Every structure is written in structure tokens, then in C-alpha cells.
Amino acid sequence: MHHSVSRRRIAALTLGMSALLAAQAVPASAAPGQGSGHGSAPWKRYNLSPSSRTVRPVAVYNTSGDVKNPDAVLKGRKTTLSGAGSYVTLDFGKEVGGLTTLHFAGSDGAQQVGLAFNESSTYVAIDSDASTGGPRSRDGALTADVDGRTTYTTPEKYLRGGFRYLTIFMQSGGSVDLDEVSLYYTPAPQVKDPSKYANYFYSSDDLLNRIWYAGAYTVQLNTISPKTGRVWEAPAQLWDNTGDIGSGTSILVDGAKRDRTVWPGDLGVEIPSAYAAFDDTASARNSLDVIYQHQRDTGELPYAGPELNKYGSDTYHLWTLAASWDYYKYTGDARWVSGIWDQYKKAVDYTSAKMDAKGLLSITGTSDSVRILAKGENLIANVLLWRVLDTGAQLARTQGDEDLAASYAQRAAALRTAINANFWDDAAGAYKFYPTNAIHPQDGNSLAVWYGLADQAQARRISAELKGNWNEVASTAPENKGNPGVFSGSMEVNAHFAAGGQAADQAGVDIIRREWGYMLSNPQGTGSTFWESYRNPGDGCVFCSAYTSLAHAWATGPVTALTFGVLGLNPTGTGGRSFDFVPHTADLTFAQGRITTTVGAVDGSWKVSKGAYSAKLKAPRAATGRAGVPTFDQRIKVRVDGHLVWDGTRALMKGVRTDGEYVYVDGLHGNHTLRSERA
């Protein structure tokens, strides 16, 4: 039985604190090496997005030939290039994208000047890296005609979506005086100020803070105007980024440099990341819309949207349906669901027709993220179908179709049973790639945990098994020849926190530091964005191709892992009207941040000191929260707004319970403080 609580005390719990005193949760020494300058918002110093659409280079990377005063152009003064082949490479200090403008103060008659763009210092040359695909390994260079005082701006078709280094070189034999270089920054066209994020993350770990903001910046660079996609087929020379790839003001694509196309698999990571960083759901909707608009009469959804218009992937077909739930979860947009509902059902039926006698999906469309899959009973395809049926049941209820909701739920339960019966390897503590295959894949196992198909005991065994695939720079993917898993790694980091428990939580922050820290600090990277793929040490190269995308949306899993997992703010109901505040503290001493719901912002902060936990929550009264206070394997008392609600053994008010690892307090509205102490 619960102790009775007076109406006055219940009211006090409901009203809580009048404000979130976040600064008290952050020690002044939280970010070593970071100076003051952002007042009560120290996290802003990690933000990589420009506040102005005009961006300028910050350094000279190198020069060759006759170049006088190479640094002068950075200060609006004359840098002189003379003689064919002489060049200056300017460094923007981070990945950027947009339309480049050069201003020349004068020239020695009519001259031709080349422009080459590169993401990685590895490929800096008088030739751009590769964005178009096809047989050629480089995109070539643009040409600016200079005759005296001249301003050159990149034509719109030659917008360069992702680069850090700009090489300006003489194609002709005379000389030019270059005195200004700038870029019009085109990502995130739907916002006035790209640096104003709806949400934030900040913690006691400087590297994790940098990783969160680099991930957010990567997503932003992948948020583009739908009229600036990659034209396909590729032009015979140079490139063309005037492809029409969807509708609306902005759309989520897979890469800043390439492919500038909607790929549904990427949306499985990118839609949650765009929400966690920016509360950007409109770009997600536009991406999903264009995929549904290109559904075939059979029900099959595209492997890639316009202008690639590829088909033949059972997994990517399912990623669209799974991502549709993510969009609805963050927005509660039942009208949108109504608009695509017939197509959604048709797509489910298309996949369901491939079920075999074992009750498993046997794939025939084998295109996938980094490889061609074998036909048959593939793990990740079956996990994705389970996710679609499980969440599809909830979507069916929004359409008033209780019979279909029940059918989807029953089919999800049967599929889960079949997956466990045919894929689970109890000796290994993980699922197999195919029922008769000895490989235990990173992607399917991670997704089974992240999406909740695996039970808690399985999830924690999988977390430990995944850790066995780590090397010094990555968590590797056995299903992809042991290469570093970036897309599948984004699934893994979220899986560790979904598994929960101190060991899995610690594994989550450890692999973020190791893999994403490596990408962020590697001198061949951009120092600001995360990559499509890379190679293991000993392979002789980091990227091995100028075509690799170094600002790739599917690499942004740490954004959600840190917000939803470490910080613990996670929307749990449609439209964000309900949320969890359940932190996974690992070895951090504090974290704070925000998510934005349809009824307003939810701010949370927590700190751990000498085994005691304290937290502050500020939420709209229209939203309902569940807070979790970690026990750290101790018997604790919990107070909410100073009132004892858990005495170490039992609840003192309704809505309080424990699972041994957390004491949960349900039904929170508005502002609250939570504290623990040893019982």
C-alpha cells in the first residue's frame, strides 16, 4: 500500500521549481581549454554552423609556383598568382558548402583561373575530388575568366555541396591579383540563421560535446534545397547540382558532396538526428514524401529517390516505413499518416508476400548499404519488418483501423518468435546474419537492441558481444569484411544505451569517443563532420577513394545517443507530448540539454557527485514526463521538489516504482528537481 499524500504536497510536486537553474548543474571547469564568452550557454562555443550565410577561408593550406603574399587574400588584400600551374589552396577550417565568389583586383590581360574543391587534405590538388560517380575518379576544375577587375561567382549548377579546401590556380600563363574569397553557405535553406539550433547538448566531457555538435553540423550540411540535388546521369565533365529531388523548402539527403539524394536507409539515422539537434521534422517529411511518390504499382518503394531512382532493396523499402514511424513519433502528424496510409499498407503487403514457411522474411531485393546481400532470411531485414509491424500497429490506430492494428501486432509477435527461434545463437550471445551463417552482424544485432526486439537479457549480451568487434579506431562490422561500421556503428551506439546497465552505458560512451573521436581528430578528415566510411589501420589509406563522402548523414548516430541516451531526454509518445528523462550517466559527472516537443521545449540537467544524483527538469505542463533516478546499485531515497517519494524500499506516492537500476517517477508536468541520497 502507498502512504497517503496530502493534496498540498501533490500540488507541490506538480508545480515544482519555477525555473531550471541549469548553471548550477555545470561546474566552471566543465570544458577544459574552453574559455568563457558564452555566458550561461557555454555549449554554444562548440557550434560549427555559421551565423551568417557569408563564410570566408581562415588559412592558407599550401601554395605552389609563383604566389606573392598568399595570406593577404584572407585580409582583403592582394595575393598575386603568376604563371601557369601556380596555385594557392585556401582552408575554410571546416567542411562548408555553397556557391563560391572570387574577386580579382586586376590581371595581366585576359587570364583563366581554375577552382578545385576537396573535402580531405589527402586529395588537395588542381583537380576536385569526386562527387559524380561513374568511371572517372576526379570531377575536374571550374574556370573563371579574368580580365582586369573581375568578380566571379560559381554558376548554380556547379554548387559544391561539401568541401574544406579550395585550390585557386592559374590555367593561363599571366598573372592575377586575388583580393577576396567568400562562400554563400546554402545548407539548411529553411532557416535564417543556421547557427540557431532548437536544441543543445552539453556535458562534462569536452570530446563528447564536440562530437554532438559535429554530428549536428553533418546533418545540417545534408539538409539542402530540393532543387540542388545531384543530376543523374552524371555529366561528361564537371558536375551538376541542379537536380530536382523533391518538394518543399528543404530535404534530408545522404551526403553534402554526394549523393545529394534521398536514401531511405540514411533516414533511419538522420531523421532522429535532425529532430534531436534542430527539431527539424519538415525536412524529414519532404524526404519521406518523395519516396512514397515514387512507389511502384507493386507496392515497392525506392532504394534511392530522384534523380538516381533506384529500386531493388528489401531493406531500404523497410527503412522508409520504419522512418515514417519516427516522423510520426516526433510530430503526431496524423494527417500526414492519412495521406500516405494506403501506400504504407501496400508497402507492408509487398514485403509480407515474401514471408516463407518459417514465418520469416526471405529477401529477393538484395541491394543494401555497403554491399549486395545474399537472398534469403537476412537478419536486419527481419528486424526491420518486425519494427514496421510493431509500430505500424500504432499507426493503424491513428487511422481508426483496430482490426489492422491487431493484425500487425499479432504478426509482429509471431515474427519476433520466429527470429529468436531461427537467428539467436545462445552460445555467442547474439543473432546470426542468416540462420545457417556463423557471422554475427553489427547492423542486425544493433538494430534488434535499439528497436527493442531483443529482451533485456539478450540486449546486454549483444552489447558485450559487439564490444568484442572493436579495434583501436572503430567498432567493426563482421558482415562487411571487418571494416569499420559507420552506418551500422550509428545503430550500435544507440543500441548500447537501449541495452542499459552500467557496462553497456560505458560501452556506448567509450565507442563514441573512440570511433567518432578518431573521425573528428584525423588530419585527413574535415575536423568538423563524420564520414561515410573509412578503412582499418594497416590498409594503407584512410579513405582509399576521392569519392568517399566526408559529411554523411548516416554517421550521426551519436547525436541521438547522447541526447536520448546519456542526457536521457527522449520523446516517448506521439507528438512528443510524453517523454522520458532517464539518463545513462556512464563516467560523466554532468550533462544538460534540450529536446523540443510540439507543446514546447523540455530542458533537463543532471549531475553526479560522490554517488549522489541530482537533476532539474523544465517542461511544458501540457507534456507528461517520466524521470528515472539511477540507483548506482545502492539502496537510495529519492526526493522530488524536496518531498520524499521513495524511502529506499517502497513508494510514498502513486506513480513511483523501481526496477533496481532506477527509481522511476511518472506523471511529471512542469518544473521539478530530483535528488537521491543513500537510504
Side-chain angles (χ1 to χ4, degrees), residues 98-100 117 139 141-143 152-161 163 235 237-242:
L99 299 169
T100 303
F117 304 85
D139 283 353
L142 302 180
T143 297
Y152 168 87
T153 297
T154 308
E156 289 187 6
K157 70 183 296 184
Y158 298 130
L159 180 151
R160 198 70 181 181
F163 68 98
Q237 296 180 331
L238 302 175
W239 60 93
D240 188 344
N241 281 332
T242 57

PDB file of all heavy atoms in Angstrom, residues 98-100 117 139 141-143 152-161 163 235 237-242:
ATOM      1  N   GLY A  98      28.345  25.415 -50.752  1.00  0.00           N
ATOM      2  CA  GLY A  98      27.592  26.516 -51.319  1.00  0.00           C
ATOM      3  C   GLY A  98      28.209  27.041 -52.595  1.00  0.00           C
ATOM      4  O   GLY A  98      28.862  26.302 -53.347  1.00  0.00           O
ATOM      5  N   LEU A  99      28.017  28.330 -52.837  1.00  0.00           N
ATOM      6  CA  LEU A  99      28.462  28.998 -54.057  1.00  0.00           C
ATOM      7  C   LEU A  99      29.620  29.922 -53.738  1.00  0.00           C
ATOM      8  O   LEU A  99      29.521  30.780 -52.854  1.00  0.00           O
ATOM      9  CB  LEU A  99      27.304  29.795 -54.669  1.00  0.00           C
ATOM     10  CG  LEU A  99      26.085  28.962 -55.081  1.00  0.00           C
ATOM     11  CD1 LEU A  99      24.903  29.872 -55.426  1.00  0.00           C
ATOM     12  CD2 LEU A  99      26.420  28.060 -56.260  1.00  0.00           C
ATOM     13  N   THR A 100      30.712  29.751 -54.453  1.00  0.00           N
ATOM     14  CA  THR A 100      31.955  30.473 -54.185  1.00  0.00           C
ATOM     15  C   THR A 100      32.046  31.737 -55.031  1.00  0.00           C
ATOM     16  O   THR A 100      31.692  31.731 -56.217  1.00  0.00           O
ATOM     17  CB  THR A 100      33.166  29.574 -54.489  1.00  0.00           C
ATOM     18  OG1 THR A 100      33.057  28.375 -53.708  1.00  0.00           O
ATOM     19  CG2 THR A 100      34.472  30.273 -54.167  1.00  0.00           C
ATOM     20  N   PHE A 117      37.929  21.821 -55.650  1.00  0.00           N
ATOM     21  CA  PHE A 117      37.328  21.685 -54.327  1.00  0.00           C
ATOM     22  C   PHE A 117      37.636  20.301 -53.755  1.00  0.00           C
ATOM     23  O   PHE A 117      37.493  19.294 -54.453  1.00  0.00           O
ATOM     24  CB  PHE A 117      35.811  21.853 -54.421  1.00  0.00           C
ATOM     25  CG  PHE A 117      35.359  23.140 -55.051  1.00  0.00           C
ATOM     26  CD1 PHE A 117      35.261  23.256 -56.431  1.00  0.00           C
ATOM     27  CD2 PHE A 117      35.028  24.243 -54.271  1.00  0.00           C
ATOM     28  CE1 PHE A 117      34.838  24.440 -57.015  1.00  0.00           C
ATOM     29  CE2 PHE A 117      34.605  25.424 -54.850  1.00  0.00           C
ATOM     30  CZ  PHE A 117      34.511  25.530 -56.233  1.00  0.00           C
ATOM     31  N   ASP A 139      36.507  15.095 -60.408  1.00  0.00           N
ATOM     32  CA  ASP A 139      35.483  15.902 -61.068  1.00  0.00           C
ATOM     33  C   ASP A 139      36.041  16.994 -61.969  1.00  0.00           C
ATOM     34  O   ASP A 139      35.286  17.641 -62.690  1.00  0.00           O
ATOM     35  CB  ASP A 139      34.582  16.577 -60.021  1.00  0.00           C
ATOM     36  CG  ASP A 139      33.567  15.625 -59.420  1.00  0.00           C
ATOM     37  OD1 ASP A 139      33.462  14.479 -59.913  1.00  0.00           O
ATOM     38  OD2 ASP A 139      32.881  16.019 -58.458  1.00  0.00           O
ATOM     39  N   ALA A 141      37.973  20.778 -62.633  1.00  0.00           N
ATOM     40  CA  ALA A 141      38.021  22.100 -62.019  1.00  0.00           C
ATOM     41  C   ALA A 141      37.182  23.083 -62.832  1.00  0.00           C
ATOM     42  O   ALA A 141      37.024  22.943 -64.050  1.00  0.00           O
ATOM     43  CB  ALA A 141      39.463  22.593 -61.932  1.00  0.00           C
ATOM     44  N   LEU A 142      36.649  24.077 -62.140  1.00  0.00           N
ATOM     45  CA  LEU A 142      35.923  25.165 -62.805  1.00  0.00           C
ATOM     46  C   LEU A 142      36.923  26.176 -63.356  1.00  0.00           C
ATOM     47  O   LEU A 142      38.070  26.249 -62.904  1.00  0.00           O
ATOM     48  CB  LEU A 142      34.978  25.855 -61.815  1.00  0.00           C
ATOM     49  CG  LEU A 142      33.928  24.968 -61.137  1.00  0.00           C
ATOM     50  CD1 LEU A 142      33.083  25.822 -60.181  1.00  0.00           C
ATOM     51  CD2 LEU A 142      33.048  24.283 -62.167  1.00  0.00           C
ATOM     52  N   THR A 143      36.471  26.988 -64.302  1.00  0.00           N
ATOM     53  CA  THR A 143      37.320  28.020 -64.893  1.00  0.00           C
ATOM     54  C   THR A 143      36.644  29.378 -64.757  1.00  0.00           C
ATOM     55  O   THR A 143      35.471  29.540 -65.104  1.00  0.00           O
ATOM     56  CB  THR A 143      37.575  27.746 -66.384  1.00  0.00           C
ATOM     57  OG1 THR A 143      38.295  26.509 -66.508  1.00  0.00           O
ATOM     58  CG2 THR A 143      38.393  28.861 -67.017  1.00  0.00           C
ATOM     59  N   TYR A 152      33.860  36.792 -59.926  1.00  0.00           N
ATOM     60  CA  TYR A 152      33.376  35.508 -60.429  1.00  0.00           C
ATOM     61  C   TYR A 152      32.606  34.805 -59.326  1.00  0.00           C
ATOM     62  O   TYR A 152      33.090  34.677 -58.195  1.00  0.00           O
ATOM     63  CB  TYR A 152      34.544  34.621 -60.872  1.00  0.00           C
ATOM     64  CG  TYR A 152      34.143  33.180 -61.138  1.00  0.00           C
ATOM     65  CD1 TYR A 152      33.680  32.784 -62.375  1.00  0.00           C
ATOM     66  CD2 TYR A 152      34.229  32.218 -60.114  1.00  0.00           C
ATOM     67  CE1 TYR A 152      33.298  31.461 -62.615  1.00  0.00           C
ATOM     68  CE2 TYR A 152      33.853  30.903 -60.346  1.00  0.00           C
ATOM     69  CZ  TYR A 152      33.392  30.529 -61.599  1.00  0.00           C
ATOM     70  OH  TYR A 152      33.013  29.230 -61.819  1.00  0.00           O
ATOM     71  N   THR A 153      31.394  34.335 -59.642  1.00  0.00           N
ATOM     72  CA  THR A 153      30.614  33.524 -58.712  1.00  0.00           C
ATOM     73  C   THR A 153      30.272  32.206 -59.382  1.00  0.00           C
ATOM     74  O   THR A 153      29.857  32.183 -60.555  1.00  0.00           O
ATOM     75  CB  THR A 153      29.328  34.245 -58.284  1.00  0.00           C
ATOM     76  OG1 THR A 153      29.680  35.442 -57.579  1.00  0.00           O
ATOM     77  CG2 THR A 153      28.488  33.370 -57.366  1.00  0.00           C
ATOM     78  N   THR A 154      30.426  31.138 -58.659  1.00  0.00           N
ATOM     79  CA  THR A 154      30.125  29.809 -59.185  1.00  0.00           C
ATOM     80  C   THR A 154      28.706  29.763 -59.760  1.00  0.00           C
ATOM     81  O   THR A 154      27.754  30.126 -59.061  1.00  0.00           O
ATOM     82  CB  THR A 154      30.224  28.771 -58.061  1.00  0.00           C
ATOM     83  OG1 THR A 154      31.484  28.890 -57.398  1.00  0.00           O
ATOM     84  CG2 THR A 154      30.055  27.372 -58.593  1.00  0.00           C
ATOM     85  N   PRO A 155      28.526  29.335 -60.990  1.00  0.00           N
ATOM     86  CA  PRO A 155      27.165  29.115 -61.507  1.00  0.00           C
ATOM     87  C   PRO A 155      26.424  28.107 -60.631  1.00  0.00           C
ATOM     88  O   PRO A 155      27.021  27.208 -60.031  1.00  0.00           O
ATOM     89  CB  PRO A 155      27.407  28.557 -62.914  1.00  0.00           C
ATOM     90  CG  PRO A 155      28.774  29.041 -63.291  1.00  0.00           C
ATOM     91  CD  PRO A 155      29.558  29.057 -62.009  1.00  0.00           C
ATOM     92  N   GLU A 156      25.101  28.267 -60.541  1.00  0.00           N
ATOM     93  CA  GLU A 156      24.320  27.443 -59.622  1.00  0.00           C
ATOM     94  C   GLU A 156      24.494  25.951 -59.867  1.00  0.00           C
ATOM     95  O   GLU A 156      24.506  25.156 -58.925  1.00  0.00           O
ATOM     96  CB  GLU A 156      22.836  27.828 -59.704  1.00  0.00           C
ATOM     97  CG  GLU A 156      22.538  29.181 -59.085  1.00  0.00           C
ATOM     98  CD  GLU A 156      21.057  29.471 -59.016  1.00  0.00           C
ATOM     99  OE1 GLU A 156      20.245  28.572 -59.352  1.00  0.00           O
ATOM    100  OE2 GLU A 156      20.700  30.598 -58.628  1.00  0.00           O
ATOM    101  N   LYS A 157      24.642  25.539 -61.110  1.00  0.00           N
ATOM    102  CA  LYS A 157      24.778  24.110 -61.380  1.00  0.00           C
ATOM    103  C   LYS A 157      26.067  23.549 -60.784  1.00  0.00           C
ATOM    104  O   LYS A 157      26.165  22.361 -60.505  1.00  0.00           O
ATOM    105  CB  LYS A 157      24.710  23.822 -62.874  1.00  0.00           C
ATOM    106  CG  LYS A 157      25.908  24.289 -63.683  1.00  0.00           C
ATOM    107  CD  LYS A 157      25.711  24.021 -65.182  1.00  0.00           C
ATOM    108  CE  LYS A 157      25.611  22.554 -65.483  1.00  0.00           C
ATOM    109  NZ  LYS A 157      25.507  22.271 -66.936  1.00  0.00           N
ATOM    110  N   TYR A 158      27.045  24.421 -60.564  1.00  0.00           N
ATOM    111  CA  TYR A 158      28.330  23.968 -60.031  1.00  0.00           C
ATOM    112  C   TYR A 158      28.461  24.218 -58.529  1.00  0.00           C
ATOM    113  O   TYR A 158      29.566  24.186 -57.981  1.00  0.00           O
ATOM    114  CB  TYR A 158      29.476  24.632 -60.782  1.00  0.00           C
ATOM    115  CG  TYR A 158      29.497  24.287 -62.251  1.00  0.00           C
ATOM    116  CD1 TYR A 158      29.605  25.277 -63.214  1.00  0.00           C
ATOM    117  CD2 TYR A 158      29.396  22.968 -62.683  1.00  0.00           C
ATOM    118  CE1 TYR A 158      29.618  24.971 -64.578  1.00  0.00           C
ATOM    119  CE2 TYR A 158      29.404  22.646 -64.033  1.00  0.00           C
ATOM    120  CZ  TYR A 158      29.516  23.646 -64.967  1.00  0.00           C
ATOM    121  OH  TYR A 158      29.524  23.326 -66.301  1.00  0.00           O
ATOM    122  N   LEU A 159      27.333  24.448 -57.868  1.00  0.00           N
ATOM    123  CA  LEU A 159      27.341  24.486 -56.406  1.00  0.00           C
ATOM    124  C   LEU A 159      28.111  23.271 -55.894  1.00  0.00           C
ATOM    125  O   LEU A 159      27.894  22.142 -56.345  1.00  0.00           O
ATOM    126  CB  LEU A 159      25.902  24.450 -55.895  1.00  0.00           C
ATOM    127  CG  LEU A 159      25.659  24.474 -54.375  1.00  0.00           C
ATOM    128  CD1 LEU A 159      24.312  25.133 -54.097  1.00  0.00           C
ATOM    129  CD2 LEU A 159      25.682  23.098 -53.747  1.00  0.00           C
ATOM    130  N   ARG A 160      29.021  23.532 -54.963  1.00  0.00           N
ATOM    131  CA  ARG A 160      29.792  22.427 -54.362  1.00  0.00           C
ATOM    132  C   ARG A 160      29.264  22.216 -52.961  1.00  0.00           C
ATOM    133  O   ARG A 160      29.422  23.067 -52.074  1.00  0.00           O
ATOM    134  CB  ARG A 160      31.284  22.748 -54.347  1.00  0.00           C
ATOM    135  CG  ARG A 160      32.162  21.512 -54.147  1.00  0.00           C
ATOM    136  CD  ARG A 160      32.144  20.610 -55.356  1.00  0.00           C
ATOM    137  NE  ARG A 160      32.979  19.410 -55.158  1.00  0.00           N
ATOM    138  CZ  ARG A 160      33.152  18.476 -56.078  1.00  0.00           C
ATOM    139  NH1 ARG A 160      32.562  18.593 -57.260  1.00  0.00           N
ATOM    140  NH2 ARG A 160      33.911  17.422 -55.831  1.00  0.00           N
ATOM    141  N   GLY A 161      28.637  21.067 -52.748  1.00  0.00           N
ATOM    142  CA  GLY A 161      27.918  20.854 -51.508  1.00  0.00           C
ATOM    143  C   GLY A 161      28.777  20.599 -50.299  1.00  0.00           C
ATOM    144  O   GLY A 161      28.372  20.895 -49.175  1.00  0.00           O
ATOM    145  N   PHE A 163      32.995  20.714 -49.055  1.00  0.00           N
ATOM    146  CA  PHE A 163      34.446  20.808 -49.221  1.00  0.00           C
ATOM    147  C   PHE A 163      35.010  21.608 -48.058  1.00  0.00           C
ATOM    148  O   PHE A 163      34.307  22.354 -47.388  1.00  0.00           O
ATOM    149  CB  PHE A 163      34.832  21.473 -50.560  1.00  0.00           C
ATOM    150  CG  PHE A 163      34.480  22.936 -50.668  1.00  0.00           C
ATOM    151  CD1 PHE A 163      35.427  23.928 -50.424  1.00  0.00           C
ATOM    152  CD2 PHE A 163      33.201  23.342 -51.036  1.00  0.00           C
ATOM    153  CE1 PHE A 163      35.114  25.277 -50.525  1.00  0.00           C
ATOM    154  CE2 PHE A 163      32.872  24.690 -51.139  1.00  0.00           C
ATOM    155  CZ  PHE A 163      33.827  25.650 -50.889  1.00  0.00           C
ATOM    156  N   PRO A 235      27.101  14.337 -65.755  1.00  0.00           N
ATOM    157  CA  PRO A 235      27.559  14.977 -66.985  1.00  0.00           C
ATOM    158  C   PRO A 235      28.926  14.444 -67.399  1.00  0.00           C
ATOM    159  O   PRO A 235      29.672  13.904 -66.584  1.00  0.00           O
ATOM    160  CB  PRO A 235      27.615  16.457 -66.611  1.00  0.00           C
ATOM    161  CG  PRO A 235      27.772  16.475 -65.130  1.00  0.00           C
ATOM    162  CD  PRO A 235      27.025  15.279 -64.626  1.00  0.00           C
ATOM    163  N   GLN A 237      31.522  16.066 -68.138  1.00  0.00           N
ATOM    164  CA  GLN A 237      32.582  16.814 -67.478  1.00  0.00           C
ATOM    165  C   GLN A 237      31.993  17.534 -66.263  1.00  0.00           C
ATOM    166  O   GLN A 237      30.808  17.836 -66.201  1.00  0.00           O
ATOM    167  CB  GLN A 237      33.204  17.834 -68.419  1.00  0.00           C
ATOM    168  CG  GLN A 237      33.917  17.223 -69.613  1.00  0.00           C
ATOM    169  CD  GLN A 237      34.510  18.280 -70.525  1.00  0.00           C
ATOM    170  OE1 GLN A 237      34.007  19.393 -70.611  1.00  0.00           O
ATOM    171  NE2 GLN A 237      35.603  17.930 -71.208  1.00  0.00           N
ATOM    172  N   LEU A 238      32.851  17.803 -65.302  1.00  0.00           N
ATOM    173  CA  LEU A 238      32.466  18.549 -64.094  1.00  0.00           C
ATOM    174  C   LEU A 238      31.306  17.858 -63.384  1.00  0.00           C
ATOM    175  O   LEU A 238      31.267  16.638 -63.278  1.00  0.00           O
ATOM    176  CB  LEU A 238      32.163  20.006 -64.442  1.00  0.00           C
ATOM    177  CG  LEU A 238      33.320  20.770 -65.107  1.00  0.00           C
ATOM    178  CD1 LEU A 238      32.895  22.166 -65.522  1.00  0.00           C
ATOM    179  CD2 LEU A 238      34.529  20.824 -64.186  1.00  0.00           C
ATOM    180  N   TRP A 239      30.337  18.612 -62.862  1.00  0.00           N
ATOM    181  CA  TRP A 239      29.234  18.059 -62.097  1.00  0.00           C
ATOM    182  C   TRP A 239      28.038  18.974 -62.274  1.00  0.00           C
ATOM    183  O   TRP A 239      28.144  20.065 -62.835  1.00  0.00           O
ATOM    184  CB  TRP A 239      29.602  17.935 -60.618  1.00  0.00           C
ATOM    185  CG  TRP A 239      29.968  19.236 -59.947  1.00  0.00           C
ATOM    186  CD1 TRP A 239      29.136  20.071 -59.257  1.00  0.00           C
ATOM    187  CD2 TRP A 239      31.262  19.857 -59.918  1.00  0.00           C
ATOM    188  NE1 TRP A 239      29.822  21.167 -58.786  1.00  0.00           N
ATOM    189  CE2 TRP A 239      31.131  21.060 -59.182  1.00  0.00           C
ATOM    190  CE3 TRP A 239      32.523  19.514 -60.432  1.00  0.00           C
ATOM    191  CZ2 TRP A 239      32.207  21.920 -58.951  1.00  0.00           C
ATOM    192  CZ3 TRP A 239      33.589  20.367 -60.200  1.00  0.00           C
ATOM    193  CH2 TRP A 239      33.436  21.548 -59.471  1.00  0.00           C
ATOM    194  N   ASP A 240      26.891  18.549 -61.782  1.00  0.00           N
ATOM    195  CA  ASP A 240      25.672  19.344 -61.920  1.00  0.00           C
ATOM    196  C   ASP A 240      24.796  19.102 -60.700  1.00  0.00           C
ATOM    197  O   ASP A 240      24.272  18.004 -60.507  1.00  0.00           O
ATOM    198  CB  ASP A 240      24.931  18.961 -63.205  1.00  0.00           C
ATOM    199  CG  ASP A 240      23.744  19.889 -63.500  1.00  0.00           C
ATOM    200  OD1 ASP A 240      23.300  20.619 -62.581  1.00  0.00           O
ATOM    201  OD2 ASP A 240      23.274  19.874 -64.651  1.00  0.00           O
ATOM    202  N   ASN A 241      24.646  20.131 -59.873  1.00  0.00           N
ATOM    203  CA  ASN A 241      23.823  20.038 -58.666  1.00  0.00           C
ATOM    204  C   ASN A 241      22.564  20.894 -58.787  1.00  0.00           C
ATOM    205  O   ASN A 241      22.213  21.650 -57.875  1.00  0.00           O
ATOM    206  CB  ASN A 241      24.639  20.438 -57.434  1.00  0.00           C
ATOM    207  CG  ASN A 241      25.555  19.324 -56.967  1.00  0.00           C
ATOM    208  OD1 ASN A 241      25.268  18.150 -57.176  1.00  0.00           O
ATOM    209  ND2 ASN A 241      26.659  19.685 -56.345  1.00  0.00           N
ATOM    210  N   THR A 242      21.873  20.747 -59.922  1.00  0.00           N
ATOM    211  CA  THR A 242      20.570  21.393 -60.096  1.00  0.00           C
ATOM    212  C   THR A 242      19.473  20.348 -60.216  1.00  0.00           C
ATOM    213  O   THR A 242      18.409  20.605 -60.781  1.00  0.00           O
ATOM    214  CB  THR A 242      20.557  22.307 -61.340  1.00  0.00           C
ATOM    215  OG1 THR A 242      20.904  21.536 -62.497  1.00  0.00           O
ATOM    216  CG2 THR A 242      21.516  23.470 -61.178  1.00  0.00           C
TER     217      THR A 242
END
